[in-house]
Amino acid sequence: CQQQKIRVLALNVEAEVTARVRNKGLVALSKEERKRLVLDADGFLADCLAPSFPEYADSVLRPSFDAHLKMGMFQDDTASFQKFVENRILWDETMASAAARYLYRNPETLMLGLVGGDHVKTGHGIPARIERILENLGYDNARTASVALNPSWKLYSNSKKLVALDKVESKSSLLSRGSLLPAKVAREEGWGGPPPATHHPFSDIVWFS
């Protein structure tokens, strides 16, 4: 990046903040921190309250939590899992907010983000969050695409749950900008531009090299 003079943008939340939320939950954040880290508070809350969120937490976040359990990082109880989920969604929302903030200020910029596979899965992943934030800021036709680079079999090991979750997300989507509105319905509803994008439960593109 330095040789090609490509600007690098840090997206992640500070380690001290994630450690605090991991131990105490989102209540550990001050009002000032919430305002600084979460650009679209209403959208963030709506995402957490979406009918598909519990299944997202179970199918995407639970396996990651179980892996952390084996490393002795958490207790195997409901409260620990809840704090883990709160930490992860704050992590994803913060990265999406940082990316959206930069893109909103630099609308002609093409941004490439490097994140782990779980962070892009389903309509609750970072790409979908970026689109939702930008659209709620009034950004026209915000679009993202995720690419899985040389994924292992583990990416697809829980495929049935993710496909089922994708169906739940599609059914529960509202007829509003940023929802998973099918193209046919979009035309019938009189959308002037392209319909809101959908997000593959794994990634939009799989790239093997």
Side-chain angles (χ1 to χ4, degrees), residues 117-132:
D118 280 352
H119 295 279
V120 303
K121 290 177 180 177
T122 80
H124 294 282
I126 293 175
R129 291 176 186 270
I130 291 174
E131 290 185 5
R132 181 250 300 158

Side-chain angles (χ1 to χ4, degrees), residues 9-132:
L9 178 67
L11 300 180
N12 211 344
V13 64
E14 300 92 331
E16 182 274 329
V17 174
T18 57
R20 219 175 340 122
V21 174
R22 187 169 59 246
N23 291 327
K24 298 181 180 180
L26 290 173
V27 294
L29 294 177
S30 67
K31 182 179 179 179
E32 291 72 23
E33 286 174 325
R34 292 195 299 270
K35 185 176 180 180
R36 175 175 65 86
L37 296 173
V38 178
L39 191 57
D40 177 25
D42 291 340
F44 180 46
L45 177 61
D47 188 82
C48 296
L49 297 177
S52 59
F53 187 84
E55 292 191 47
Y56 162 74
D58 182 60
S59 60
V60 178
L61 303 185
R62 173 68 71 174
S64 180
F65 176 73
D66 291 342
H68 284 78
L69 282 180
K70 294 179 181 179
M71 294 185 286
M73 298 179 64
F74 290 94
Q75 298 293 321
D76 189 7
D77 54 51
T78 302
S80 294
F81 180 59
Q82 180 176 338
K83 292 173 185 175
F84 178 84
V85 170
E86 291 180 12
N87 187 52
R88 276 291 299 271
I89 61 176
L90 174 67
W91 193 0
D92 287 350
E93 188 72 14
T94 297
M95 289 193 281
S97 292
R101 184 180 288 109
Y102 183 83
L103 290 170
Y104 185 77
R105 295 171 178 172
N106 302 272
E108 301 302 320
T109 299
L110 176 65
M111 178 179 287
L112 171 65
L114 300 176
V115 299
D118 280 352
H119 295 279
V120 303
K121 290 177 180 177
T122 80
H124 294 282
I126 293 175
R129 291 176 186 270
I130 291 174
E131 290 185 5
R132 181 250 300 158

Side-chain angles (χ1 to χ4, degrees), residues 188-205:
E188 292 174 353
E189 292 294 319
W191 286 79
T198 61
H199 293 275
H200 194 277
F202 305 104
S203 66
D204 299 313
I205 302 168

